[in-house]
Amino acid sequence: MSEADAVADVTTASRLGFKDGDLIQEFGYDEDVDFDFRADIEEITGSELLDEDEQEVVDAVILWWRDEDGDLVDALVDVLPALEGDGVVWILTPKSGRDGYVAPADIQHAAPTAGLHCTSTLSAAKDWSGTRLVFRKKK
């Protein structure tokens, strides 16, 4: 990877809002995840990503999600207990045209059912898009 590519990846990873000292838990890890992107997040936070078996309360969750992974609402509900009250969930899905692509509308429909609200979407890694979900405010 060139130095320019490394800087771009760090910039993209930092745009997720992570900072030094944050604890990030990762769900949906598989052989297709972006390993450079994961390393960038670990560099920014200063700690390894926690796997889905950890019982820590974390600042954010990364959910690698593919179309064939099952029910997205169930997966979102399953990751919520790990979060602090103001924590966020980043759903990372394969970009359009890639195996496992998830339409943004699918995420927008699943999020409210799980008590979450979509706030932003960005190109999170080389082959992955990221959607930021936060808790919906009670009226």
Side-chain angles (χ1 to χ4, degrees), residues 84-121:
E84 290 278 2
D86 59 351
V88 300
V89 176
W90 277 98
I91 299 178
L92 301 175
T93 59
K95 289 184 178 176
S96 180
R98 308 240 182 243
D99 286 342
Y101 170 72
V102 177
D106 293 343
I107 297 170
Q108 292 169 353
H109 286 105
T113 305
L116 297 164
H117 174 72
C118 298
T119 62
S120 60
T121 301

Side-chain angles (χ1 to χ4, degrees), residues 11 35 109-110 114:
T11 302
F35 293 101
H109 286 105

Side-chain angles (χ1 to χ4, degrees), residues 5-6 10-12 15 34 39 45 49 51 58 67-68 77 83 85 90 96-98 101 103 115 118 128-129 131:
D5 289 342
V10 170
T11 302
T12 301
R15 285 181 33 212
D34 187 310
T45 62
L49 295 172
D51 68 31
V58 297
D67 184 50
E68 66 276 358
V77 169
L83 288 173
W90 277 98
S96 180
R98 308 240 182 243
Y101 170 72
C118 298
W128 296 82
S129 294
T131 302

Side-chain angles (χ1 to χ4, degrees), residues 27-30 32-33 62-76 78-79 90-95 99-103 106-107 110 127-129:
F27 292 81
Y29 175 91
D30 205 342
D32 63 345
V33 302
I62 293 175
L63 174 61
W64 299 94
W65 191 258
R66 303 138 197 99
D67 184 50
E68 66 276 358
D69 283 346
D71 186 275
L72 181 54
V73 173
D74 288 345
L76 291 172
D78 288 347
V79 304
W90 277 98
I91 299 178
L92 301 175
T93 59
K95 289 184 178 176
D99 286 342
Y101 170 72
V102 177
D106 293 343
I107 297 170
D127 295 328
W128 296 82
S129 294

